[in-house]
Structures are given as structure tokens and as C-alpha cells.
Amino acid sequence: MTVKELCQSLYFKDIIEPMKKKYPDALLPISRYKEDYDIILNTVFSGEGGTITFHPDGNSDAYMCEGDRYFNIVGMKVVLPDNGAVTAAEAAAEILWCSAPFGRYGEIDWALFEEHEADKYALQAKRLDIKIALPYCRDKKIRRELKQQMMSTAEDLCLSAKADDWFVFGEGKLWGKRQNRSKRKRKYRMKKRRDELFRQSELHKELDLLEAKIGSVSELLKQLVLSSSSIETIYYESKTYGKSGRIDYIADLLLNPLYNSKKYLNPAKQQECICVLYATPEYPCTTAEQNRIIEILGKYFGSTPWQLFTRQCKGLDNEVELDITILRLFFVSLLTAPRSQVFNPLKI
């Protein structure tokens, strides 16, 4: 049987348990795999196919579908062992686990995964790293190069291969194995400052991303983002294929306890959430859908404060996408507006 036939023979709830058992610390919420499961059920095979074999010892070559696309994966032949060492549900869970990261996307723009250009906070942190290492460098040429880079006003650091090798791998080998108390305290303070600069760098990148999503950010929200201890973004995409309402599909992803979509919401921590609901200009959200998503988010977040923005983008066809940015805070909530006031009407 093929991968598509295998998944058609199972309910998604049958696949969840073996997946959670083998991968208890899954990087993605289970709801993301529900989206991919529906994609498999509704994708027409148009590739070269292949064979995924599960061996009698329980191992498999399911890794073959890593990085492949679902239009090819759905037509791959699945071979299960005769001794029953691997059940159909376990095989489907393994295939879904391996294919989910990239299977749904037709093309991957690897530029998206490249390191961002260093901002002023990251550059200051890198130069502080050099300052920490500099007293322990005994090579005069490397030392001179490190000093030049530390004092440079360039937009990024540029070290020679020899200097970069010493700088990256020198700690613990060359960076002062024997230090007195005053040196340890100095190094500790500088590292704490460096870590804070890197944190500020990441927060400013998240702020830029949020501004790209919702437009101009209020001063209150800007301070909220920059004062966060950490930020995490989760995406939920409807994959209805015309078989159900797109908002009801999002409701199932968020509220179905099987998917554990609330794993990122920690009542013990102070959190704020920024939600962005996307639809296409051809199929904008109706008033009924807007009211429905407010109702769903109210149930999902409970006592956690949240804001909702609606935006339009291309490429979703008749579907919707919900992006949730979770801000973990150091302090008491800044968002005190009533729930009825946090929704912005749909605007381009």
C-alpha cells in the first residue's frame, strides 16, 4: 500500500499515541501534524514515488522522505514487517514525523534560514566577546586583529581563519584556565552583559517581524515586546479542502485536547499574546467568522491577555492562517483593555 492509502486506513487519533510515545518532546504541537495528515489525504500523487521499508527489528528507512514533498510522498510504497514488529499506526506516525517539517511546501527558500545581518546589539555583544577573550590571547598577530575588530565601526565582524579559529574554540583551552576571584567576577559581569545584548538583538528582530505583520506598532506594544523575557510564534493553517468551515478547522486545532495546542500557554508565567488572522483579498473574513474567531480565542487563552489583528495576504486560496506570538514577561500585564476592544476590523 502507499503512504496515502496507509493514512486513509487510520484516523488521526490512532497515529497520535505512537507518535507521542516515540517523540515525547516533539518540537511541534500535535496540531501541526493534523494539518499535514489532512494534506496527505487530499494530495494527488504526481512524483516518482519510492519505497519505505519497516524492518523486523523495528527500524525503518522512513528518513528517505525527509525534505521530500507530499505530492511525491503520498505515492511511496510502504512495506511492513511480517512479524508485526511495526503496526500501521506506528508506521504512519514515523512517516508523518519525518515528512512534516518540509513536505507541505513546494519550494524551500533557504535564504530564510540564513543568519540575519547583525544589528547594533548583536555587534556590540560580539565585540564584548572579543574584549572578554583578549587578555588571554598570546599570539601578537591575532591579538592585533582582535583589537582592530573590537574598535571597528563596520557593520559586521571580519576575522581571518586563524583568528576566527582561536576566537571560536579558544574558550576552555586558552582563555585563562587559572583565574583569581576578581578576574572571575569581571568575566561573569561581562558575560551577563553580553547575553543581555544578544537578547535585545533577538527582541528587536521579533519586533521588526511583528511590525511587518500588523503594521505600525503602538509605543505600549513596543515596550511590551522589548521587555519580554522570551518570544515564541506558533502558526495554525486551515486545510479544509472544502470539507468543513475554515474557522471551525482552526477551532479544532486550538481547542481539541488531543492536539495539546495549549502546551505553550503556562498559567504560572506572565504572558501576553498577539494574534494575526490572515485571509486572501478574494475570500476575506466575514463578520460571522470574525465573531467566531474571537469566541474561539477567548476559550483558548482563558485568563491570558491577547490582542487580535486581521490582515490579508495572497497564497491561502480559500483558507486562513492564524499566527500567535507569545510574549513571556518579567512584569505585570500592560494590556488592560477589555476583550471587546482588542479586535481590529479587517483592513488592507
Side-chain angles (χ1 to χ4, degrees):
M1 61 181 166
T2 64
V3 169
K4 186 173 183 176
E5 292 170 341
L6 174 66
C7 290
Q8 287 175 333
S9 68
L10 299 163
Y11 291 108
F12 182 67
K13 64 180 181 180
D14 299 325
I15 303 174
I16 291 177
E17 288 308 315
M19 181 180 290
K20 290 168 63 176
K21 183 178 180 181
K22 187 168 184 179
Y23 303 104
D25 300 322
L27 297 177
L28 301 177
I30 299 298
S31 55
R32 291 294 300 273
Y33 296 101
K34 173 64 166 66
E35 297 170 20
D36 288 271
Y37 169 79
D38 288 329
I39 292 173
I40 289 176
L41 296 186
N42 293 277
T43 298
V44 177
F45 172 58
S46 61
E48 299 178 356
T51 302
I52 302 174
T53 304
F54 290 83
H55 307 292
D57 61 358
N59 293 321
S60 73
D61 51 10
Y63 61 86
M64 288 178 55
C65 61
E66 290 183 1
D68 208 338
R69 308 293 178 264
Y70 282 128
F71 64 79
N72 185 61
I73 293 173
V74 294
M76 289 183 172
K77 184 179 179 182
V78 181
V79 180
L80 300 178
D82 295 331
N83 66 351
V86 180
T87 66
E90 290 172 338
E94 185 71 14
I95 293 170
L96 198 57
W97 172 266
C98 293
S99 63
F102 301 112
R104 65 171 71 184
Y105 303 108
E107 296 180 2
I108 298 297
D109 182 3
W110 293 107
L112 297 175
F113 300 93
E114 293 177 358
E115 186 176 344
H116 289 278
E117 182 179 346
D119 57 29
K120 62 179 181 179
Y121 296 97
L123 285 174
Q124 192 174 350
K126 290 179 180 180
R127 292 189 173 107
L128 190 57
D129 249 345
I130 294 177
K131 189 175 182 179
I132 296 172
L134 196 60
Y136 309 107
C137 181
R138 298 294 178 261
D139 188 305
K140 291 184 178 180
K141 290 184 178 180
I142 293 179
R143 186 179 176 86
R144 188 181 306 115
E145 188 176 347
L146 291 175
K147 279 186 175 181
Q148 289 174 349
Q149 289 300 312
M150 189 173 66
M151 303 303 293
S152 172
T153 58
E155 295 183 356
D156 205 347
L157 301 180
C158 184
L159 295 171
S160 66
K162 184 178 179 181
D164 186 67
D165 184 67
W166 182 90
F167 182 63
V168 173
F169 302 104
E171 188 168 12
K173 297 179 181 179
L174 302 174
W175 291 14
K177 290 185 178 181
R178 294 185 293 272
Q179 297 176 342
N180 58 31
R181 186 169 179 270
S182 62
K183 288 182 179 179
R184 289 197 303 269
K185 288 174 67 177
R186 170 186 174 273
K187 191 173 182 180
Y188 173 79
R189 289 194 300 268
M190 294 177 73
K191 283 191 172 184
K192 291 286 286 186
R193 184 183 170 201
R194 176 202 61 189
D195 293 343
E196 175 60 20
L197 287 168
F198 275 127
R199 190 181 76 86
Q200 287 295 323
S201 173
E202 292 303 317
L203 291 178
H204 277 81
K205 290 175 184 176
E206 291 292 342
L207 180 60
D208 291 343
L209 181 61
L210 192 60
E211 287 181 330
K213 290 180 180 179
I214 66 176
S216 179
V217 174
S218 68
E219 189 62 31
L220 182 65
L221 184 53
K222 183 180 296 185
Q223 292 302 318
L224 189 68
V225 173
L226 297 180
S227 301
S228 302
S229 60
S230 64
I231 298 178
E232 192 155 17
T233 303
I234 309 114
Y235 306 92
Y236 298 94
E237 301 175 24
S238 66
K239 301 293 180 183
T240 66
Y241 294 92
K243 298 178 181 178
S244 67
R246 56 187 184 177
I247 301 299
D248 289 333
Y249 190 99
I250 296 294
D252 182 54
L253 295 180
L254 292 176
L255 303 179
N256 193 325
L258 290 174
Y259 307 153
N260 192 25
S261 294
K262 292 190 176 183
K263 63 182 290 185
Y264 295 112
L265 296 179
N266 189 345
K269 295 183 178 180
Q270 187 65 37
Q271 296 178 331
E272 307 283 358
C273 297
I274 310 299
C275 308
V276 184
L277 182 67
Y278 292 99
T280 59
E282 295 79 12
Y283 301 96
C285 287
T286 64
T287 302
E289 287 178 322
Q290 293 174 3
N291 293 333
R292 175 72 173 133
I293 197 67
I294 292 174
E295 177 189 352
I296 293 166
L297 293 176
K299 293 179 180 179
Y300 176 73
F301 289 117
S303 60
T304 301
W306 53 275
Q307 292 189 74
L308 175 64
F309 299 84
T310 54
R311 290 293 182 268
Q312 294 180 351
C313 69
K314 298 180 180 179
L316 293 174
D317 296 325
N318 196 19
E319 304 291 348
V320 295
E321 178 180 315
L322 178 68
D323 297 359
I324 300 178
T325 301
I326 300 177
L327 312 176
R328 295 184 176 89
L329 311 177
F330 286 119
F331 51 85
V332 178
S333 167
L334 292 177
L335 299 181
T336 57
R339 288 282 153 66
S340 60
Q341 297 180 14
V342 298
F343 183 79
N344 286 0
L346 181 62
K347 294 181 179 179
I348 299 179

